[in-house]
Amino acid sequence: MAAGYSRQSGGTAASQVPLSAPATERRTPPIMRKLLFTLLLLTTSLPGFAALQASVDRTQLVEQQPLELTLESTLAKRTDQPDLSPLETHFQIESSRKLNLVSTINGRSLPVTRWVIHLLPLRTGYVVIPPLELAGERSEPVTLHVLTQTQASDISPTDIAPIFIDSELDTHTPYVQAQVLLTLRIYHSVSLYDDSTLSGLEIPDARVEALGAPKTYERDINGVVHGVIEVRYAIYPQHSGVLDIPSQLFSATAVQSRSTASQSGSHNARFIQLRSPSQQLQVKPIPESYPAGVPWLPARQVRLSQNWQPDPSGELTRGEPLTRTLSIQADGLTAMQLPELNTLADDQDELRQYSDQPQLENQLSSTGVLGLRQESSAVVARHAGRHIVPAIRVPWWNTTTDQLETSELDAVTLNIRGNNSFNDTSNTYTGPPPAELPVLWPWQLATVLLLAALTWALVKLHGARRALTALDELGEDTVSLDTDEPGNPLADLQTACRHNQPAEARKALEHWAKQQESDLIALSHAHPILADALDDLNGCLFGQTEHAWRGKPLWRAVRKVTQARQRETEALGENAIEPLYPDV
């Protein structure tokens, strides 16, 4: 069975997570053994589905060493309490606490009541935790082996418990919403069948992220090779104060040696259940020295970066869009915890910003979560001159050094020139004095006439090229369209056509058509140039064309339609007619 793993959220239970032992420890019994094992598993697994389950975090311990007993019930009411009096014969009850959880079993969500009881054995040897009763249900007995100090010192490696669980936290005093790494390691010196599972981690008032699939490897302990199944979680406490991390139930079928199986008179398979130790966190609140009104970012490292296309240090043309990409990544935070980096206000007059949806990504590793947030936007300068894009400063709390730090991106200066600036420079040549002018021969006169004709042709050609350029540029109109006025649909249409954004162009086009007291169908019938541009736009939007949409033909068509309607209005001479754009 391949190792599997499922993501869980705080306060929400998940079904059991299948685990797998190292490949060297798997064994496939013969057909008859499979049948016997299936029958044995059915009979030995019945207690796991009882209404009241009892499990411990270890079955072998040394005297004066406490252990943790966990009782779980799916039928108990909130007022029900288990009868713990049978434990007082061989155990001292040190503490007991109750947890109300929700568990998912076979796709159904069921309420689960859990009691965690800390016990101290009063005698050594083999001690049995007797069956306990709750709401008419009885738990199964659990057998413990309590060693004396002498036995523990003389114990041989082969007498170590064949299966045990180790639980490790990277910190016991985290800040609220900071990452805590929990590592569970299941050690086993006996082979396990591929049916091992680990119950889901359920922590109220905390978010839980599973850090990948379980890892399996081997480790030598006192000369005995143990297989290790390692599971890691990232825990994010949502409130300050005490946070309990409950134990997890490990269930598996262990392979017994032939001698052990023959002595006990049982089969060579033994169903076991073992719990990991429960732990507590002392969650600290946000420090008073942290700036007020800014997002709380407790992390090991926060990095900022930005990228511009084209290079903002060169000279740029008014109306030319610049693509700006801002990135923030935090070691120890999820992408949803990272703040927005936009520094340009939507109503800024000099610079306009058109932002895309931010890209969020969580990279999971054995060291925790690395959150990434990337924001891309188009920045357009409306006027020529020198514009400054403000610096970005992000305060954050370094959980490694326990102090406030700030990550920063410097301000960027944009030098914008007008898109119609064209300066003709000519050098004036002053020839020799008239007295020194040589006599013009016929070939010289022909050359001068030819040069004059060539100069005149070049001037005409340059004028025609400028006229064509002015006709093709989206931002230059022969008729004032008031595209800089806020709320004018033509302004939005011009921007969408300049950036080749078909969806935004369609919205602005429909808004403009409504202001003409008409609709797009009627306008396209009256103006064929608009009909052609509209067909190209619709074909791009609805996937009927494979080429990229260009907004220049649509803007040229709308401009010609607008000019034609203005000329018609002037020809009629109706001064009482309302203006074409009442909303502008």
Side-chain angles (χ1 to χ4, degrees):
M1 178 183 296
Y5 203 75
S6 61
R7 181 177 294 182
Q8 307 164 41
S9 300
T12 302
S15 56
Q16 291 183 330
V17 181
L19 305 175
S20 63
T24 57
E25 299 186 356
R26 300 178 186 173
R27 54 181 295 181
T28 303
I31 297 177
M32 292 301 297
R33 186 174 296 171
K34 282 187 176 181
L35 294 176
L36 292 175
F37 169 70
T38 303
L39 294 176
L40 175 65
L41 188 60
L42 289 176
T43 57
T44 57
S45 299
L46 289 177
F49 296 94
L52 183 61
Q53 299 181 46
S55 57
V56 293
D57 61 343
R58 61 177 65 90
T59 57
Q60 180 176 287
L61 64 159
V62 183
E63 60 179 339
Q64 302 302 319
Q65 182 180 9
L67 76 151
E68 193 174 88
L69 169 65
T70 301
L71 298 176
E72 279 193 359
S73 174
T74 58
L75 302 179
K77 300 178 182 178
R78 291 187 176 273
T79 57
D80 290 341
Q81 292 291 336
D83 182 13
L84 303 181
S85 58
L87 297 173
E88 298 176 355
T89 304
H90 299 300
F91 299 93
Q92 176 183 332
I93 302 176
E94 294 188 332
S95 65
S96 175
R97 68 179 186 273
K98 178 181 178 181
L99 300 174
N100 293 314
L101 307 171
V102 177
S103 180
T104 302
I105 301 176
N106 296 329
R108 296 177 56 192
S109 297
L110 298 175
V112 176
T113 306
R114 177 182 297 174
W115 288 268
V116 180
I117 306 160
H118 289 86
L119 302 175
L120 185 65
L122 299 178
R123 56 180 293 267
T124 59
Y126 287 94
V127 183
V128 177
I129 297 178
L132 302 177
E133 293 188 358
L134 174 70
E137 299 291 337
R138 288 170 60 89
S139 63
E140 293 294 321
V142 180
T143 302
L144 307 175
H145 189 194
V146 182
L147 305 174
T148 64
Q149 296 292 342
T150 304
Q151 290 174 328
S153 60
D154 296 338
I155 190 172
S156 64
T158 57
D159 292 332
I160 299 177
I163 302 176
F164 60 93
I165 303 178
D166 178 35
S167 176
E168 179 184 350
L169 291 171
D170 66 337
T171 179
H172 286 81
T173 57
Y175 283 100
V176 62
Q177 297 180 2
Q179 176 182 269
V180 179
L181 293 180
L182 171 64
T183 304
L184 293 180
R185 296 183 183 93
I186 303 164
Y187 297 86
H188 57 96
S189 59
V190 295
S191 298
L192 301 178
Y193 286 95
D194 290 338
D195 62 342
S196 57
T197 58
L198 185 68
S199 63
L201 181 59
E202 309 158 7
I203 306 179
D205 298 329
R207 293 177 53 249
V208 178
E209 292 285 344
L211 301 179
K215 296 194 304 181
T216 58
Y217 53 92
E218 293 183 347
R219 178 173 295 178
D220 185 280
I221 302 177
N222 295 334
V224 178
V225 177
H226 285 69
V228 183
I229 305 174
E230 183 178 285
V231 183
R232 283 178 173 261
Y233 299 95
I235 303 172
Y236 296 88
Q238 299 301 300
H239 303 286
S240 59
V242 178
L243 179 66
D244 289 318
I245 299 179
S247 60
Q248 292 181 259
L249 179 65
F250 175 72
S251 303
T253 304
V255 179
Q256 296 188 105
S257 62
R258 293 182 180 274
S259 59
T260 303
S262 61
Q263 291 175 5
S264 60
S266 61
H267 299 282
N268 65 336
R270 181 168 59 95
F271 183 75
I272 61 171
Q273 286 188 321
L274 199 64
R275 282 201 172 270
S276 64
S278 62
Q279 304 206 45
Q280 276 192 344
L281 298 177
Q282 297 292 333
V283 184
K284 298 182 290 186
I286 300 176
E288 295 182 357
S289 58
Y290 196 79
V294 298
W296 165 240
L297 299 176
R300 289 192 296 265
Q301 182 67 44
V302 173
R303 291 175 289 272
L304 299 178
S305 62
Q306 66 176 337
N307 180 53
W308 291 84
Q309 291 292 339
D311 186 359
S313 60
E315 284 200 358
L316 307 170
T317 304
R318 180 180 69 89
E320 176 186 0
L322 290 89
T323 301
R324 185 192 193 192
T325 304
L326 296 172
S327 299
I328 177 173
Q329 61 180 19
D331 189 358
L333 294 176
T334 62
M336 294 297 296
Q337 294 176 269
L338 302 181
E340 183 180 358
L341 299 178
N342 180 18
T343 59
L344 296 179
D346 295 336
D347 57 351
Q348 187 168 347
D349 183 62
E350 297 297 330
L351 295 175
R352 283 188 176 179
Q353 178 171 275
Y354 304 91
S355 302
D356 296 333
Q357 289 292 331
Q359 303 296 320
L360 305 180
E361 180 184 358
N362 289 327
Q363 295 182 0
L364 306 180
S365 66
S366 59
T367 60
V369 180
L370 179 66
L372 304 175
R373 180 186 177 97
Q374 189 175 82
E375 301 176 4
S376 296
S377 59
V379 179
V380 180
R382 300 183 58 201
H383 304 288
R386 186 170 177 267
H387 306 289
I388 297 179
V389 179
I392 298 178
R393 295 178 179 87
V394 177
W396 59 282
W397 192 265
N398 191 324
T399 56
T400 303
T401 61
D402 200 21
Q403 63 182 6
L404 178 67
E405 296 192 15
T406 301
S407 297
E408 184 174 352
L409 289 176
D410 295 334
V412 176
T413 301
L414 305 179
N415 295 313
I416 307 299
R417 60 181 175 85
N419 50 7
N420 289 328
S421 59
F422 183 86
N423 298 324
D424 291 319
T425 58
S426 58
N427 297 325
T428 304
Y429 173 75
T430 57
E436 299 180 3
L437 287 175
V439 178
L440 292 178
W441 295 98
W443 67 269
Q444 294 175 321
L445 181 61
T447 301
V448 170
L449 293 178
L450 182 61
L451 289 175
L454 180 61
T455 302
W456 178 83
L458 291 175
V459 170
K460 290 294 186 180
L461 179 61
H462 179 69
R465 180 176 297 177
R466 291 189 61 184
L468 290 175
T469 302
L471 181 62
D472 288 340
E473 283 195 358
L474 295 179
E476 297 299 322
D477 299 320
T478 57
V479 177
S480 176
L481 301 181
D482 296 331
T483 56
D484 289 338
E485 289 291 333
N488 186 1
L490 289 178
D492 297 333
L493 180 61
Q494 184 183 30
T495 302
C497 291
R498 176 179 287 118
H499 298 153
N500 300 322
Q501 298 173 337
E504 299 298 329
R506 176 73 186 195
K507 295 179 183 178
L509 191 64
E510 293 175 353
H511 189 189
W512 168 77
K514 291 180 181 179
Q515 288 193 352
Q516 312 306 308
E517 298 181 356
S518 181
D519 54 32
L520 287 178
I521 297 178
L523 289 173
S524 60
H525 287 169
H527 303 277
I529 187 174
L530 179 61
D532 294 338
L534 185 59
D535 290 340
D536 184 57
L537 174 62
N538 291 335
C540 179
L541 286 174
F542 301 110
Q544 299 176 354
T545 58
E546 297 181 355
H547 64 274
W549 182 75
R550 298 180 68 253
K552 184 181 296 184
L554 177 62
W555 175 249
R556 185 184 298 117
V558 172
R559 189 175 58 189
K560 289 186 177 181
V561 171
T562 304
Q563 294 172 356
R565 292 175 66 87
Q566 288 183 353
R567 286 194 295 269
E568 291 174 2
T569 302
E570 293 172 359
L572 293 176
E574 297 176 0
N575 297 328
I577 294 180
E578 296 181 356
L580 286 175
Y581 313 108
D583 295 338
V584 177

